[in-house]
Each structure stands twice: as structure tokens, then as C-alpha cells.
Amino acid sequence: MSTTATHRVVVLGAGYTGMLATIQLAHRTRRHDVRIILVNPSDRFTERLRMHQLAAGQTLGDHRIPELLAGTGVEFRRAAATVIDPATRLVTLDDGATLAYDTLIYALGSKADTDLVPGASDHAWILDDPRSAHRFGQRLAELDATGGAVTVVGGGLTGIEAATEIAESHPKLAVTLIATAEPGSMMGPRARAHLERALDRLAVVRKVGVRATKVLPDAVRLDTGEVVRSDITLWTAGTRVPELAAAAGIDTDATGSVVTDATLRSVSHPDVYAVGDAAAIQQPWGRIHGTCQSGLPTAAYVAAAIARRLRGKSVRPFRFNYFHQPVSLGRADAVIQFTHGDDTPARWYLKGRAAVFYKATVSASPLPIFGLSRRVTVPVKLRP
């Protein structure tokens, strides 16, 4: 990289990782001739990990991206990227404009995959944005007045948190969780036992070891032939990443995630960095799976790596280890499974009020981190 002319950085996606990478890069390059443009279809910052709370009737803050970027010098474009041309280093937007870049940060994340099962895209709800979560919450309130059946498909952390949040907030509703494996199967036995007790306490019915094969307007059909009544179905089983990178000829894996080198650059196009859910990042123990816990470190790393390379300095490979699996079980309960670096369960865990406090502390909104990053250089070890 060279600093002899304005270096143009385009960031695609303003979720957790895109916002953090943008703000930290702006702070780190404030003394350099760098122009940063952040592209996102909405001007609202979505705390996606909290959509289940909004769906359960709680109120979340309305945070606007331009306000979060105020004073950073970053330009915000409210648009969606439709084409990336790595040969010319141009990004085409859905408003017809094009943006030239010297460095591209690919932070488009992932979304729920409703194409896995017939009927899911037509009849199931997803919680990928505040508007759909709010409408889902309104429908729950309507059902709660008369009693009804809610089905959550997917037994991962999102499905567990959604099912418990709904059951706690709407005790008149019959909540069913459909999962291919035991909820919390990635946890140790003691943490998993607490999770099971919470599901029992909240009267969440579990259909375990089965798959949804079709979503109907008023039911979910399972691979056993059973038909589960469902007045409203929430889909949390599986995610997919945008096809933009693959369509551009950037090397991707089978899921469409950008394959990166040890410094999170595309292996086929080194001027493209990938962070968060849309990046296929390998560590000595295996591939990172998409979570906020791993996503934010990739964003901070990339901001530091780009700034360092702009100064002509070398960069140490990205290294990351997991340390916990935090799961909310409604507002008054939670369980935290501490882990080894490869995300397998360690001996220790927290439950109940202590876990609620812990999760509120370590998994709180990233907004304070954004604010701090505007003023302070967050240290990241990048020297070889």
C-alpha cells in the first residue's frame, strides 16, 4: 500500500463488524490521507443479537449510523452493493452509482436461510431486522390475548434465546422448539442440565432429533410425519451469506464465505479483507464459526492491519480463541459455559443471576465500544 495519494477504503456492511472496523480504521488513519466510505442499505444500526428481545415485546434503542459516525470523517452511503468488480476495483450500488476502492472490507454478514425447507420463505418469520422483529412481536401479542401456538425451528443459541424469551414474555402461548440435536448440546453436562431446567420451567416443549420438512401456514411438518400446530413459526435453523463475493470471482468456500489468508485478506484478491460471518477464517484448531464473540476481534484486527500496512509495516497473523458460550434464558436467567479455545466446553460454568450479570457485562451493546474506538486506539498485536 502507498500513502502518496488518497487511499480509498470501501466497507460493505454496517453490522457489528463493519461498524467496528470502520470506526477503528478511521481513528487509526486520522493522520493519513485515507478516505473511508461505509455502505449499508439502512441508516439504522441493527443490534441483530437482540432481535429476539424486540420480538418478545421489549424496546430497543433507535441508533442511526450517521450519528454513530459523527466526527470520524467517514462517509456513509445508504445503498446496497450489487456488484463487485475486483479487476477494476469498483463496487456498483443499487442506486446506479459506483465506488472505486484501493481496499475493500467485506462485512456483509449472514442471514437466516429460509430456502432450506419448502414453505419456510412463505410462512416462517425471521428476525434479521427491527421491522420484522417488531411485526413478529405484534403478532405474538395478538395471539397472547387468546392463546396460541408458537414454533421455533432451530435449536442453536438463537433458537434457545428466542424460545425462552417468548415463553417468559407470553406465558399464555404454547411454545415448541424443534431441534435436530439436544438444545445446548455444545455445552458441558451441568450447564446443559440448567438449560433444560429453564426450558421446563418456562414450559417450552422440545421436539428433538427431528427435522422440519415443510412449513405450512398453520403448522410445521417433521421428517417423522408428525405435524406440529403452529399459529406463528420462527425460523432460526441455518444461515447463508450473500453471493456477492462468489459472483465477483473472489475465492469462496462451499458456503459462499470469502476464503482468507492468515491476515484476513482474500487469498485470491489481497486488496479485499473479509470479517465476521462472511469470512472463512482458519485457526490452528479449525474454522471460526460466526458469532459476535469472534466477529468483533476480526474487525478490530483488520482495522489495525490496514493501518499498519499503510505505514509500510508488516502484520502478524490473526489469532483467536473462544472463551465462553453465553445464553440468555429470558430476562431473569442465563447460563454461561466457559470453553477451551476451540469452543469445546471447559469445566466451569455460571447459571442464574450470576450468569445474567456476566452476560449483561460481557455481551452488552457494542455502542460503548464504538464510542471508545472513536477516541482511543485499541491495542491489537500485529507485529511478526
Side-chain angles (χ1 to χ4, degrees):
M1 295 182 182
S2 171
T3 57
T4 57
T6 300
H7 190 90
R8 301 161 299 181
V9 180
V10 173
V11 184
L12 300 183
Y16 290 89
T17 57
M19 283 294 297
L20 185 63
T22 298
I23 293 172
Q24 290 205 0
L25 181 61
H27 179 74
R28 288 179 177 274
T29 59
R30 65 194 184 281
R31 300 179 187 277
H32 300 270
D33 191 7
V34 177
R35 179 189 180 193
I36 304 172
I37 304 175
L38 176 61
V39 179
N40 198 66
S42 170
D43 68 347
R44 179 175 181 174
F45 174 69
T46 299
E47 295 193 66
R48 185 177 168 188
L49 296 182
R50 302 183 185 280
M51 290 299 97
H52 63 282
Q53 295 176 228
L54 185 60
Q58 298 170 41
T59 301
L60 299 181
D62 183 8
H63 305 289
R64 298 294 161 173
I65 294 171
E67 296 174 3
L68 297 176
L69 296 176
T72 64
V74 174
E75 301 172 42
F76 175 65
R77 290 293 298 269
R78 183 175 179 177
T82 57
V83 177
I84 300 172
D85 186 344
T88 59
R89 294 183 180 178
L90 289 175
V91 176
T92 301
L93 307 181
D94 60 358
D95 60 8
T98 58
L99 297 176
Y101 68 85
D102 297 299
T103 297
L104 180 71
I105 301 178
Y106 193 81
L108 291 178
S110 64
K111 63 180 181 179
D113 190 354
T114 55
D115 291 336
L116 295 172
V117 171
S121 60
D122 296 321
H123 306 303
W125 292 75
I126 59 175
L127 302 181
D128 281 351
D129 65 79
R131 287 175 296 181
S132 64
H134 181 67
R135 291 194 299 269
F136 181 83
Q138 289 178 320
R139 179 60 179 145
L140 286 180
E142 293 169 1
L143 289 172
D144 196 33
T146 57
V150 181
T151 301
V152 179
V153 181
L157 300 187
T158 301
I160 293 168
E161 292 194 330
T164 53
E165 199 81 54
I166 293 168
E168 181 182 78
S169 301
H170 301 282
K172 293 181 181 179
L173 298 179
V175 180
T176 299
L177 180 64
I178 296 173
T180 57
E182 288 287 345
S185 58
M186 68 291 187
M187 295 182 167
R190 294 184 297 169
R192 191 165 61 248
H194 181 77
L195 189 155
E196 291 288 345
R197 288 192 295 270
L199 292 172
D200 288 340
R201 172 175 53 81
L202 294 168
V204 175
V205 176
R206 279 89 81 194
K207 302 285 185 180
V208 177
V210 297
R211 294 181 182 275
T213 58
K214 189 171 186 178
V215 180
L216 304 167
D218 57 357
V220 177
R221 181 174 296 154
L222 307 181
D223 56 2
T224 60
E226 181 182 0
V227 176
V228 179
R229 177 198 162 202
S230 182
D231 295 305
I232 185 169
T233 301
L234 177 63
W235 190 267
T236 70
T239 59
R240 63 182 177 188
V241 301
E243 300 176 353
L244 203 60
I250 298 170
D251 279 6
T252 58
D253 67 3
T255 71
S257 302
V258 176
V259 179
T260 68
D261 65 11
T263 61
L264 306 193
R265 295 186 298 185
S266 161
V267 295
S268 61
H269 297 82
D271 50 353
V272 176
Y273 289 77
V275 297
D277 292 0
I281 302 170
Q282 292 291 335
Q283 293 294 284
W285 43 262
R287 180 181 165 172
I288 289 175
H289 55 268
T291 65
C292 190
Q293 181 183 172
S294 58
L296 291 177
T298 68
Y301 173 92
V302 161
I306 293 172
R308 191 168 176 83
R309 285 190 167 117
L310 282 169
R311 297 195 299 271
K313 298 183 179 294
S314 56
V315 176
R316 173 183 290 181
F318 176 73
R319 288 291 179 262
F320 173 79
N321 287 304
Y322 289 97
F323 63 95
H324 66 189
Q325 298 164 351
V327 187
S328 293
L329 303 171
R331 292 296 86 201
D333 196 4
V335 61
I336 313 295
Q337 174 66 68
F338 294 100
T339 69
H340 301 294
D342 62 357
D343 209 28
T344 55
R347 177 182 178 185
W348 302 105
Y349 80 106
L350 287 177
K351 64 180 180 179
R353 291 288 184 180
V356 171
F357 177 79
Y358 177 91
K359 190 173 190 301
T361 302
V362 303
S363 300
S365 168
L367 295 173
I369 298 176
F370 295 163
L372 181 65
S373 296
R374 292 167 54 176
R375 302 184 298 274
V376 177
T377 300
V378 179
V380 179
K381 295 181 180 180
L382 296 179
R383 292 192 179 98

